[in-house]
Amino acid sequence: MITRKKYEEPLAHQLIQITKKYLGVLADHSKDIPLERYHYTLLLIDENNESLTQKEIANLLQVDKSFMVNMIDYLENNGFVIRKTNNNDRRQYLIKLTEKSKGILPQINQVFVAVNQKALKSLSQNTVNCFFEVLETLQNNLKGVNINDIKLDYKNLKSKG
């Protein structure tokens, strides 16, 4: 059996393991929210005062156009957003939150805070700061890679209990 040192194995392996665990905890914490996925998208729309187009949201989330269309279709079909023609450029749609989504934003935010606190507990503030600096450096070091060629599909499968 070959034993690899942590720095010899692909970073993706560790990142995928963390992602699976994080999403599992997120699914558990968000089971009472009437939304299966795209929680963070609603927060982004709100944080940007509902002034984002589909293309701008896609750029922020680093997803391709077809994924973005499917995401907005899902959110719209489930009553969380509406598309509104941009008065400044009628070819664009601004994505607006519905009252339904505005009502669950505080709960979504609380879930992310709780899950992040759980993930980062027992780490000093210096370590947390260093962690985010390392993540940013990794992202910058890997710029130029066409991430739209890589498909990740996350769906919160709520228990039918």
Side-chain angles (χ1 to χ4, degrees), residues 113-158:
V113 167
V115 174
N116 288 351
Q117 284 176 345
K118 181 176 179 87
L120 300 171
K121 77 177 179 188
S122 76
L123 298 177
S124 71
Q125 189 59 52
N126 285 341
T127 302
V128 171
N129 292 344
C130 181
F131 171 72
F132 285 106
E133 287 174 20
V134 168
L135 289 177
E136 185 176 349
T137 300
L138 292 174
Q139 292 233 24
N140 289 332
N141 289 346
L142 298 173
K143 273 186 180 169
V145 175
N146 187 357
I147 58 173
N148 291 333
D149 291 341
I150 301 168
K151 304 289 183 220
L152 298 176
D153 187 19
Y154 162 68
K155 184 175 180 182
N156 176 3
L157 301 174
K158 299 191 185 249

Side-chain angles (χ1 to χ4, degrees), residues 24 28 62 67 72 77 79 111 115 125 155:
D28 184 54
Q62 300 179 17
F67 184 88
I72 299 302
N77 292 338
V111 164
V115 174
Q125 189 59 52
K155 184 175 180 182

Side-chain angles (χ1 to χ4, degrees), residues 44-135:
L44 273 178
I45 294 166
D46 184 57
E47 287 171 4
N48 287 278
N49 301 312
E50 300 180 77
S51 64
L52 297 173
T53 63
Q54 282 185 198
K55 184 176 182 176
E56 290 167 334
I57 296 170
N59 289 337
L60 286 171
L61 295 175
Q62 300 179 17
V63 298
D64 67 28
K65 182 179 178 180
S66 66
F67 184 88
M68 188 74 241
V69 169
N70 289 335
M71 180 189 303
I72 299 302
D73 285 348
Y74 170 84
L75 290 170
E76 186 173 46
N77 292 338
N78 287 281
F80 293 102
V81 301
I82 59 171
R83 290 174 170 103
K84 186 173 180 184
T85 304
N86 184 350
N87 291 332
N88 297 326
D89 184 345
R90 301 196 58 74
R91 297 169 295 169
Q92 296 179 334
Y93 290 98
L94 297 173
I95 307 303
K96 302 290 186 179
L97 300 173
T98 63
E99 291 305 314
K100 179 179 181 179
S101 62
K102 288 177 184 177
I104 63 171
L105 285 175
Q107 193 176 358
I108 291 171
N109 196 52
Q110 287 174 340
V111 164
F112 280 113
V113 167
V115 174
N116 288 351
Q117 284 176 345
K118 181 176 179 87
L120 300 171
K121 77 177 179 188
S122 76
L123 298 177
S124 71
Q125 189 59 52
N126 285 341
T127 302
V128 171
N129 292 344
C130 181
F131 171 72
F132 285 106
E133 287 174 20
V134 168
L135 289 177

